[in-house]
């Protein structure tokens, strides 16, 4: 078959995203895609923004229309939502450390008004509601914080956080009603008291304040309602006609938009007057929501698996675009080019409601972040990164029962679960987070370049390559994505991308092709300055760099791709292991042949080591400081740094290894268990940790076809951090009781239900058993549409109209030991 050549002229899209030709040479075995990245530099400006601030050390946070900077160095913040009031306070420190280990740099958290002032005038700030202690722990762990002060929050909590007693007051909510604003001022004054001395200007961790949430876009239903009654939303009367259920595109014209912006300004004025001051203020800006023009960063959202839509559908959030010109859920009320593109509410998971139970695919997490970064995002954030359980109020369950969510559980299927479980998405996301930590200053100023076919791609198109670039000068990053929710993409086999730069063409790879398997994504550098050496391109993704006396860079190869590095001609390559060298007059090519390869580059008298690993090993990586030196740990265990010690958490496996790069000669000591040094190849120092085996057989007693008891362990032995009760059932709902009180609940969606036991076992009256109560699944259940892609999750009803089966009950220990070098 002769080659078919299709030429497309490059064109400019909007103001800052340039789309250039995508030329395909189609042969029996290969496709070559082309991009011309010779584009005019975008305009960066900041005079219009009233944002930024300094701390007592003289450090400075600045914001321009494209990115955020600290001390004039551009950064890409990574925010992860965690609600302190939904998690036991004695484990907050551990959770903050987990999030930091996953590459999170900022924790946003809601202050739910109704949890702190359920009864009018009686504020609660102790125990799990101790906001000050939580922020102090963020400071202890060198973690920035954004406090979302409401007054309206949402967060699938009762009334969206509004106290019930507000409904009975002679006032109108969420407008400039004097009585309403007086209550808001009282709330803000209370919050300010809790946060005194913890703001960035004081040397504290609070760099941001969010005012309101989804104002003039969305609301939550009042919890004081009747079965079958239509939702009565917590929106102002004037905004009800434009109020949506959940996050959505909003094309309605709100005649009260200016009044909405005025209300946001009024709330900020009250906050500042009470002393709630931060260098950054944010407002949820999607779907024509109100912001504070020029005084807030309008953050955006993307939810691939929403529960508020009538059915599963393909989302547009895996297609590259120019987010700086057209944010997701556009139209918006502001000029996007005036603000950084900051999708801070990316659905890394989703809650379940009784009628809709999406099953979240964790491959979607890093695929969505890849797409956002490749589309110009200069900040990324997750809702939720860490799940939790909503505390019961004095008079009501405080989850959003009117919306049909669970009564207690706030399990979001996210990177970290309701009880602190670390999941697949945590590991997938941290690879990009590590990259942003070390190379975000390079990426942030880069503008977006899209191929000409990008505007025409649809989510249903599973055949065509999805790609984009970010560029500054002649250097940049090539973004590839082969994931789409609710379908399966075809493998992209044997592809090449020709990047036309001002210094000549860069072919990735120069010969042959790469394979991007279904579900995967990649970020590949081109014309990259590798510590003074020009890297023409690499078919491997940057993970991190070491800043020790002996500098090093670590790359990983995405699944299905072999590592290949093209350096400038004359580059000296030494100490090669697991790779071959092919020098010519035009370049020096290093081809990796093993899952682990390493080599050294020498330029200008400087030696730089390069380690290339496969993605499977990269997923086990953690960046730590070992004796003052930046290092990598690789382990199946979760690695949490605690000053000069390391806490190792292992789910269900009492013997696990830790590999360390660069090597160390010090053998660690463990608080529990034995340590054995492992002799292996020259790359790592390796150690095996073995902890005492913990086993506890599940003893159950059937009370009825729907009810059973489960005997609980009475102690947590040394070397065990938590014990998870695994409830594998097929049915409709599950409830968990201790001494007659509902303590946990679950909506079935095919994923086994886990309950962490340590918080219950830590109570003075240690429970001896739990009572589990199940209800059967009905054959006509509406949520079965969410389970259709997973036929194994749907039972065979036969001639019965309902189905219930408890498949197994078991316990899984989470092992823990603390090591020190």
């Amino acid at each position: 078959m002769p080659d078919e050549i299709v030429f497309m002229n490059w064109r400019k899209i909007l103001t800052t995203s340039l789309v250039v030709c995508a030329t395909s040479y189609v042969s029996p075995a290969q496709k070559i895609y082309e991009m011309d990245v010779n584009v005019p530099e975008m305009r960066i400006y900041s005079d219009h923004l009233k944002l930024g601030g300094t701390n007592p050390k003289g450090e400075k946070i600045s914001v321009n229309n494209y990115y955020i900077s600290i001390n004039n160095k551009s950064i890409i913040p990574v925010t992860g939502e965690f609600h302190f009031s939904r998690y036991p306070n004695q484990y907050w420190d551990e959770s903050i450390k987990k999030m930091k280990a996953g590459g999170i740099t900022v924790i946003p958290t809601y202050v739910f008004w109704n949890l702190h002032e359920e009864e009018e005038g009686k504020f609660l700030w102790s125990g799990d509601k101790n906001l000050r202690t939580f922020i102090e722990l963020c400071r202890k762990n060198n973690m920035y914080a954004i406090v979302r002060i409401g007054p309206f929050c949402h967060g699938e909590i009762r009334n969206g956080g509004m106290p019930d007693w507000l409904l009975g007051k002679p006032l109108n909510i969420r407008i400039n009603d004097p009585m309403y604003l007086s209550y808001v001022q009282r709330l803000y004054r209370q919050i300010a008291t809790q946060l005194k001395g913890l703001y960035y200007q004081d040397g504290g961790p609070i760099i941001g304040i969010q005012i309101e949430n989804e104002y003039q876009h969305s609301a939550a239903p009042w919890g004081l309602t009747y079965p079958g009654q239509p939702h009565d939303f917590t929106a102002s009367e004037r905004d009800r006609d434009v109020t949506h259920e959940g996050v959505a595109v909003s094309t309605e014209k709100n005649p009260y938009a200016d009044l909405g912006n005025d209300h946001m300004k009024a709330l900020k004025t009250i906050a500042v007057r009470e002393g709630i001051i931060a260098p950054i203020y944010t407002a949820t800006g999607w779907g024509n929501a109100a912001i504070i023009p020029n005084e807030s960063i309008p953050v955006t959202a993307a939810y691939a698996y929403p529960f508020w839509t009538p059915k599963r559908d393909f989302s547009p959030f895996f297609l590259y675009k120019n987010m700086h010109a057209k944010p997701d859920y556009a139209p918006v009320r502001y000029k996007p080019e005036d603000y950084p593109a900051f999708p801070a509410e990316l659905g890394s998971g989703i809650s379940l409601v009784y009628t809709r139970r999406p099953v979240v695919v964790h491959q979607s997490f890093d695929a969505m972040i890849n797409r956002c970064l490749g589309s110009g995002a200069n900040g990324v954030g997750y809702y939720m990164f860490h799940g939790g359980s909503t505390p019961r109020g004095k008079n009501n369950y405080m989850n959003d029962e009117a919306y049909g969510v669970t009564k207690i559980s706030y399990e979001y299927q996210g990177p970290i679960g309701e009880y602190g479980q670390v999941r697949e998405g945590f590991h997938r996301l941290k690879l990009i987070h590590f990259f942003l930590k070390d190379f975000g200053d390079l990426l942030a100023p880069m503008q977006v370049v899209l191929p000409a076919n990008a505007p025409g791609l649809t989510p249903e198109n599973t055949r065509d390559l999805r790609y984009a670039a970010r560029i500054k000068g002649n250097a940049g990053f090539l973004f590839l994505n082969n994931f789409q929710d609710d379908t399966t993409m075809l493998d992209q086999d044997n592809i090449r991308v020709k990047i036309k730069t001002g210094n000549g063409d860069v072919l990735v790879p120069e010969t042959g092709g790469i394979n991007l398997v279904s579900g995967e994504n990649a970020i590949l550098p081109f014309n990259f300055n590798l510590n003074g050496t020009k890297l023409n391109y690499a078919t491997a993704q940057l993970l991190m760099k070491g800043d020790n006396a002996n500098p090093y860079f670590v790359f990983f190869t995405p699944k299905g791709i072999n590592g290949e590095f093209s350096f400038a001609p004359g580059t000296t390559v030494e100490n090669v292991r697991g790779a071959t060298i092919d020098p010519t007059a035009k370049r020096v090519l290093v081809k990796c042949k093993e899952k682990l390869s390493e080599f050294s580059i020498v330029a200008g008298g400087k030696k730089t080591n390069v380690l290339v690993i496969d993605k499977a090993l990269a997923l086990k990586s953690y960046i730590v400081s070992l004796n003052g030196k930046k290092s990598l740990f690789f382990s199946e265990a979760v690695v949490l740094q605690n000053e000069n010690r390391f806490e190792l958490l292992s789910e269900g496996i009492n013997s696990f290894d830790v590999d360390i790069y660069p090597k160390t000669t010090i053998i660690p000591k463990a608080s529990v268990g034995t340590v054995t040094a492992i002799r292996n190849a020259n790359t790592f120092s390796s150690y095996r940790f073995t902890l005492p085996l913990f086993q506890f057989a599940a003893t159950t007693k059937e009370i009825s076809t729907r009810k059973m008891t489960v005997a609980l362990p009475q102690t947590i032995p040394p070397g065990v951090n938590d014990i998870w009760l695994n409830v594998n059932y097929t049915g409709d709902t599950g409830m968990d009781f201790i001494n007659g009180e509902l303590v946990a609940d679950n909506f079935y969606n095919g994923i086994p239900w886990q309950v962490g036991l340590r918080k219950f076992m830590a109570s003075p009256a240690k429970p001896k058993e739990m009572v589990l109560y199940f209800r059967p699944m009905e054959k006509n259940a509406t949520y079965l549409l969410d389970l259709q892609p997973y036929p194994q999750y749907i039972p065979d009803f036969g001639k019965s109209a309902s189905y219930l089966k408890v498949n197994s009950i078991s316990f899984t220990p989470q092992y823990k030991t603390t090591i020190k070098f």
Side-chain angles (χ1 to χ4, degrees), residues 94-252:
E94 177 187 275
S95 288
I96 293 169
K97 285 180 168 61
K98 284 179 184 174
M99 296 177 75
K100 189 171 183 178
I104 297 297
T105 60
V106 186
I107 295 180
T109 192
Y110 271 135
V111 181
F112 293 115
W113 188 357
N114 57 358
L115 292 189
H116 297 283
E117 195 189 4
E118 184 180 4
E119 296 181 87
E120 184 182 354
K122 297 180 181 179
F123 282 90
L124 302 174
W125 298 104
S126 61
D128 296 347
K129 300 172 185 176
N130 195 326
L131 170 62
R132 184 172 187 83
T133 295
F134 180 76
I135 300 299
E136 286 174 338
L137 287 170
C138 289
R139 177 169 61 184
K140 172 191 169 186
N141 286 283
N142 295 315
M143 177 73 74
Y144 288 130
I146 295 175
V147 185
R148 306 176 77 178
I149 62 175
F152 175 79
C153 296
H154 213 305
E156 290 73 58
I157 209 159
R158 184 178 177 88
N159 311 328
M162 296 285 197
D164 277 46
W165 51 263
L166 270 183
L167 185 60
K169 294 293 181 179
L171 55 78
N172 292 302
I173 63 169
R174 302 181 77 186
I175 62 172
N176 289 343
D177 179 299
M179 181 180 287
Y180 173 68
L181 291 182
S182 71
Y183 285 119
V184 172
Q185 182 173 11
R186 187 175 69 181
L187 169 68
Y188 283 6
R189 183 170 297 163
Q190 285 277 328
I191 294 172
T193 299
Q194 299 302 312
L195 300 180
K196 186 176 181 179
L198 294 173
Y199 303 103
Y200 186 76
Q201 66 179 10
D202 307 313
I206 300 174
I207 62 166
I209 298 293
Q210 181 179 301
I211 304 293
E212 247 278 352
N213 190 63
E214 300 177 315
Y215 185 58
Q216 292 191 318
H217 174 77
S218 182
W222 282 104
L224 195 59
T225 186
Y226 300 96
Q229 187 176 44
H231 290 322
D232 179 19
F233 284 103
T234 51
S236 66
E237 293 284 348
R238 71 185 183 204
D239 293 328
R240 291 198 174 192
D241 289 343
V242 295
T243 297
H244 296 262
E245 292 192 37
V247 181
V249 173
S250 180
T251 57
E252 299 91 344

Side-chain angles (χ1 to χ4, degrees), residues 9 23 46 125 174 239 306 324 355 378 396 485 502 566 580 589 669 693 717 727 749 771:
N9 290 327
T23 303
S46 62
W125 298 104
R174 302 181 77 186
D239 293 328
H324 195 237
T355 54
N378 273 332
N396 302 287
D485 62 285
S566 173
T580 60
L589 195 67
K669 296 181 180 179
L693 182 66
V727 183
N749 73 335
V771 175

Side-chain angles (χ1 to χ4, degrees), residues 325-346:
K326 187 177 180 181
D328 291 325
Y329 297 111
V332 294
R333 190 177 298 185
Y334 56 92
K335 183 182 177 183
E337 293 87 352
D338 282 348
Y339 304 91
F342 197 154
E345 197 165 304
L346 299 172

Side-chain angles (χ1 to χ4, degrees), residues 359 730-731 748-752 777 784 786-787 789-795:
V359 179
T730 306
Y748 173 84
N749 73 335
I751 301 172
M777 178 191 298
L784 289 177
D786 293 305
L787 308 186
Y790 311 95
Q792 69 272 26
Y793 295 166
I794 302 176

Side-chain angles (χ1 to χ4, degrees), residues 216-416:
Q216 292 191 318
H217 174 77
S218 182
W222 282 104
L224 195 59
T225 186
Y226 300 96
Q229 187 176 44
H231 290 322
D232 179 19
F233 284 103
T234 51
S236 66
E237 293 284 348
R238 71 185 183 204
D239 293 328
R240 291 198 174 192
D241 289 343
V242 295
T243 297
H244 296 262
E245 292 192 37
V247 181
V249 173
S250 180
T251 57
E252 299 91 344
K253 187 75 173 178
N254 188 338
Y256 305 107
D258 289 340
L259 292 177
N261 286 355
D262 288 343
H263 179 60
M264 292 288 286
K265 291 178 183 177
L267 293 177
K268 185 192 172 189
T269 298
I270 294 172
V272 171
R273 189 165 61 230
E274 295 301 330
I276 302 176
I277 299 171
I280 295 172
Y281 291 86
T282 66
T284 44
W286 54 80
N288 267 326
I291 70 165
I292 311 168
N294 299 330
E295 298 180 33
S296 63
I297 295 177
V299 298
T300 59
Y303 286 93
Y305 301 95
F307 64 72
W308 50 86
T309 56
K311 60 182 179 64
R312 292 187 304 112
D313 51 15
F314 299 153
S315 80
F317 306 127
F318 301 97
L319 297 172
Y320 296 108
K321 63 189 293 188
N322 176 19
M323 298 179 73
H324 195 237
K326 187 177 180 181
D328 291 325
Y329 297 111
V332 294
R333 190 177 298 185
Y334 56 92
K335 183 182 177 183
E337 293 87 352
D338 282 348
Y339 304 91
F342 197 154
E345 197 165 304
L346 299 172
S348 53
I350 201 68
S351 182
L352 307 181
V353 294
Y354 183 76
T355 54
R356 287 291 317 279
R357 306 183 185 183
V359 179
V360 175
V361 178
H362 280 224
Q363 275 185 315
S364 70
F365 296 177
D366 52 314
M368 184 182 289
I369 305 312
N370 174 297
R371 172 267 187 182
C372 288
L373 293 172
S375 299
N378 273 332
V380 292
Y382 307 99
Y383 191 98
M384 296 283 296
F385 195 82
H386 193 311
S389 307
T390 305
R392 184 171 180 174
K394 184 175 181 180
N395 302 311
N396 302 287
Y397 291 104
M398 299 304 284
N399 260 357
D400 194 347
E401 291 183 279
Y403 239 161
V405 302
T406 43
K407 294 183 181 297
I408 290 177
S409 172
Y410 200 54
E411 171 53 72
Y412 222 76
Q413 306 180 70
I416 301 178

